[in-house]
């Protein structure tokens, strides 16, 4: 078993929910020879400095998130996408320490497979920005305002995708249009959706 990181010890002592579940997951993961760290405020487990999985706690469940879960076989159908637009990560949710204990042999198989994915150098094929649909409301503004189109084109691909997802999410055209209007100045200023 690999050594425990004091930062993760501190995180687990402060955890209000899922303490037993986190402890059990930690034991299983460290038994699979991964290195432990605290990243993004969560226990993160790496293989040769590459992120393999993250332990997460939510209100209704805790989860083991595989950073390249889309590349795993998932022959037991345990993995789920954390969000509709998630491309690489997949997670296994838990609601009890008993559930984790019951799944322990399978979890070790999934973890070992994730390590093999890292060893092999496999990469997730991400959708390119040009593969995302540009909502009609935003396309109209881009056509009307060359400065907006130029500013949008100058944004990083990640910032472009964030805007496209944000603009596409609402079902109603007027809501999409409102989102575009609210974000236009930010785009013109060269800022991403979540930049201050």
């Amino acid at each position: 078993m690999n050594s425990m990181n004091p930062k993760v010890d501190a995180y687990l002592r402060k955890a209000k929910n899922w303490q037993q579940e986190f402890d059990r997951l930690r034991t299983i993961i460290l038994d699979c020879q991964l290195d432990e760290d605290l990243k993004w405020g969560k226990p993160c487990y790496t293989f040769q400095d590459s992120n393999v999985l993250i332990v997460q706690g939510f209100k209704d469940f805790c989860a083991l998130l595989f950073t390249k879960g889309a590349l795993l076989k998932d022959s037991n159908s345990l993995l789920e996408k954390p969000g509709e637009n998630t491309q690489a990560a997949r997670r296994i949710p838990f609601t009890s320490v008993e559930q984790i204990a019951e799944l322990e042999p399978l979890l070790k198989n999934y973890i070992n497979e994730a390590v093999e994915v890292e060893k092999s150098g496999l990469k997730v094929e991400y959708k390119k920005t040009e593969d995302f649909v540009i909502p009609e409301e935003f396309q109209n503004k881009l056509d009307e305002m060359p400065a907006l189109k130029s500013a949008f084109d100058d944004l990083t691909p990640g910032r472009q995708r964030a805007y496209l997802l944000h603009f596409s999410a609402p079902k109603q055209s007027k809501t999409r249009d409102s989102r575009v209007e609210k974000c236009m100045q930010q785009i013109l200023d060269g800022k991403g959706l979540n930049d201050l």
Side-chain angles (χ1 to χ4, degrees), residues 73-80 92 110:
K73 292 183 186 96
D74 195 21
S75 50
N76 297 92
S77 301
L78 296 177
L79 298 173
E80 65 178 32
I92 301 175
Y110 277 76

Side-chain angles (χ1 to χ4, degrees), residues 2-196:
N2 275 10
S3 63
M4 296 180 175
N5 186 312
K7 293 179 195 172
V8 176
D9 289 334
Y11 171 87
L12 294 177
R13 277 194 305 273
K14 292 178 187 174
K16 293 181 179 153
N17 299 322
W18 312 111
Q19 248 178 354
Q20 289 181 311
E21 290 79 4
F22 287 162
D23 285 339
R24 186 64 183 255
L25 287 170
R26 184 185 201 193
T27 301
I28 292 168
I29 296 164
L30 290 175
D31 196 38
C32 293
Q33 306 305 308
L34 292 176
D35 294 318
E36 182 176 71
D37 202 352
L38 194 69
K39 296 183 180 182
W40 309 284
K42 307 271 187 265
C44 181
Y45 297 86
T46 62
F47 175 76
Q48 296 179 348
D49 296 325
S50 292
N51 299 330
V52 176
L53 43 101
I54 300 168
V55 175
Q56 303 175 304
F58 299 95
K59 182 180 175 187
D60 298 326
F61 64 94
C62 64
L64 194 56
L65 181 116
F66 293 84
T67 58
K68 292 183 181 175
L71 299 176
L72 301 180
K73 292 183 186 96
D74 195 21
S75 50
N76 297 92
S77 301
L78 296 177
L79 298 173
E80 65 178 32
K81 285 175 97 172
E84 175 185 337
N85 297 306
T86 303
Q87 295 184 57
R90 299 291 183 271
R91 70 180 174 208
I92 301 175
F94 307 99
T95 55
S96 71
V97 72
E98 294 80 15
Q99 184 185 18
I100 294 167
E102 183 182 314
L103 291 172
E104 183 170 338
L106 289 177
L107 294 177
K108 285 185 175 184
N109 289 341
Y110 277 76
I111 294 167
N112 290 328
E113 184 184 353
V115 170
E116 290 303 315
V117 164
E118 283 306 321
K119 284 180 182 177
S120 72
L122 286 173
K123 303 272 187 222
V124 174
E125 287 286 327
Y126 290 99
K127 281 173 63 175
K128 304 268 188 262
T129 303
E130 52 271 10
D131 296 335
F132 284 80
V133 174
I134 298 177
E136 181 182 344
E137 297 79 4
F138 186 49
Q139 186 62 58
N140 290 342
K141 290 292 182 190
L142 294 174
D143 293 343
E144 290 170 16
M145 301 175 61
L148 181 64
K149 181 172 180 3
S150 177
F152 184 74
D153 290 344
D154 288 344
L155 293 174
T156 63
R159 287 184 170 123
Q160 291 175 355
R161 287 190 298 271
Y163 278 119
L164 294 177
L165 291 171
H166 180 65
F167 297 154
S168 298
K171 290 182 176 32
Q172 294 187 6
S173 177
K174 67 180 181 180
T175 308
R176 289 190 299 272
D177 201 37
S178 172
R179 285 190 177 189
V180 170
E181 288 289 334
K182 287 179 184 172
C183 293
M184 283 175 32
Q185 190 57 54
Q186 202 163 337
I187 293 169
L188 289 166
D189 292 342
K191 295 182 178 178
L193 182 63
N194 299 311
D195 293 349
L196 298 174

